[in-house]
Amino acid sequence: MSGLFNSSIGRKLLMSISGLFLVLFLLFHMSMNLVAVFSGDAYNAVCGFLGTNWYALAGTAVLALGMVVHIVYAFILSFKNRAARGNDRYEMSARPKNVEWASQNMLVLGIIVCLGICLHLSHFWYKMMFAELAGIENEIAATDGTAWMQFYFSQPVVAVLYIVWFAALWFHLTHGFWSALQTLGWNNNVWIDRLQCISCWFATIVCGLFAVIVIGFFFGLFPIFG
């Protein structure tokens, strides 16, 4: 077990597997949010169905644990790498060839992603699932997810912060997704270009739809069917 944490392969494997939890989190929430685009009542029904059911709580706990492992270990590895390089990191005058901008700034992008997750949890998870569990009464019902989206996304500052979050997510995913799959074994010359393409499309579709949802609620375009 210690080899998983001490070897470079083990560290990459742990980062890859835990990073896929973020992918699942985004896919699940993007699918849910798309319901709100078409029908507020349908979205609220989904929120009510999930609510405080044990499987919703268990799924949330598993995803949260995976993301926490990914985030904490990413910071540990970043500081270890910086310590190992020492002063050598200041001698680099230009970015290495064929190295993406995102791969050189994953720590900064990761910090923005973490802050965005905290913002999202404070707006929705705390006001909805946690409020329902704890019996907290807010100005909006815990199960009225559509009203919460309208409330937050109609605020210019909040909307901009979410767009910045989605932009950081896009850069993080375009590099992290294909890198994770490569670490897990899809690393031959045939698949590397395909994985990069798939990652780019995945990140663009998911983050683009998230951004469209925020912009649509900001301008009062959603839900389409009330």
Side-chain angles (χ1 to χ4, degrees):
M1 187 68 178
S2 60
L4 182 65
F5 297 95
N6 296 327
S7 68
S8 59
I9 295 177
R11 290 193 292 265
K12 288 181 179 180
L13 184 63
L14 183 60
M15 284 295 294
S16 299
I17 295 174
S18 60
L20 293 179
F21 282 84
L22 176 60
V23 172
L24 293 174
F25 170 85
L26 293 173
L27 276 175
F28 175 74
H29 280 75
M30 186 267 289
S31 302
M32 275 190 63
N33 289 355
L34 281 179
V35 177
V37 170
F38 299 99
S39 173
D41 292 336
Y43 181 69
N44 289 340
V46 173
C47 293
F49 176 73
L50 293 176
T52 56
N53 291 313
W54 68 268
Y55 43 81
L57 295 173
T60 300
V62 171
L63 291 177
L65 178 61
M67 287 191 295
V68 168
V69 170
H70 184 76
I71 292 167
V72 171
Y73 208 54
F75 280 109
I76 293 174
L77 288 181
S78 296
F79 289 123
K80 279 188 175 181
N81 290 338
R82 288 176 65 86
R85 289 197 301 268
N87 293 328
D88 291 342
R89 64 179 182 271
Y90 298 111
E91 298 175 0
M92 186 180 298
S93 58
R95 191 184 311 136
K97 293 181 180 180
N98 300 323
V99 176
E100 303 173 47
W101 179 87
S103 68
Q104 293 290 297
N105 295 276
M106 289 296 278
L107 178 60
V108 175
L109 292 171
I111 292 173
I112 297 175
V113 170
C114 288
L115 292 174
I117 291 175
C118 291
L119 179 70
H120 178 73
L121 291 176
S122 67
H123 282 169
F124 295 98
W125 178 81
Y126 180 76
K127 295 289 188 177
M128 296 176 68
M129 181 178 283
F130 180 80
E132 191 174 357
L133 278 171
I136 300 174
E137 293 186 5
N138 295 300
E139 60 274 23
I140 301 174
T143 55
D144 195 350
T146 304
W148 282 113
M149 293 177 79
Q150 292 171 335
F151 174 74
Y152 283 119
F153 295 157
S154 63
Q155 302 174 31
V157 173
V158 173
V160 169
L161 288 175
Y162 271 89
I163 296 300
V164 171
W165 179 33
F166 300 147
L169 271 174
W170 186 87
F171 281 109
H172 196 80
L173 287 173
T174 52
H175 173 76
F177 192 19
W178 74 261
S179 180
L181 294 176
Q182 182 186 35
T183 299
L184 293 175
W186 290 5
N187 57 355
N188 56 61
N189 293 330
V190 174
W191 271 99
I192 188 66
D193 291 336
R194 296 176 182 176
L195 291 177
Q196 288 177 328
C197 182
I198 291 171
S199 298
C200 186
W201 275 105
F202 173 84
T204 301
I205 292 172
V206 171
C207 296
L209 286 174
F210 273 130
V212 167
I213 291 169
V214 171
I215 294 171
F217 271 98
F218 179 78
F219 287 105
L221 303 178
F222 304 140
I224 297 174
F225 302 115

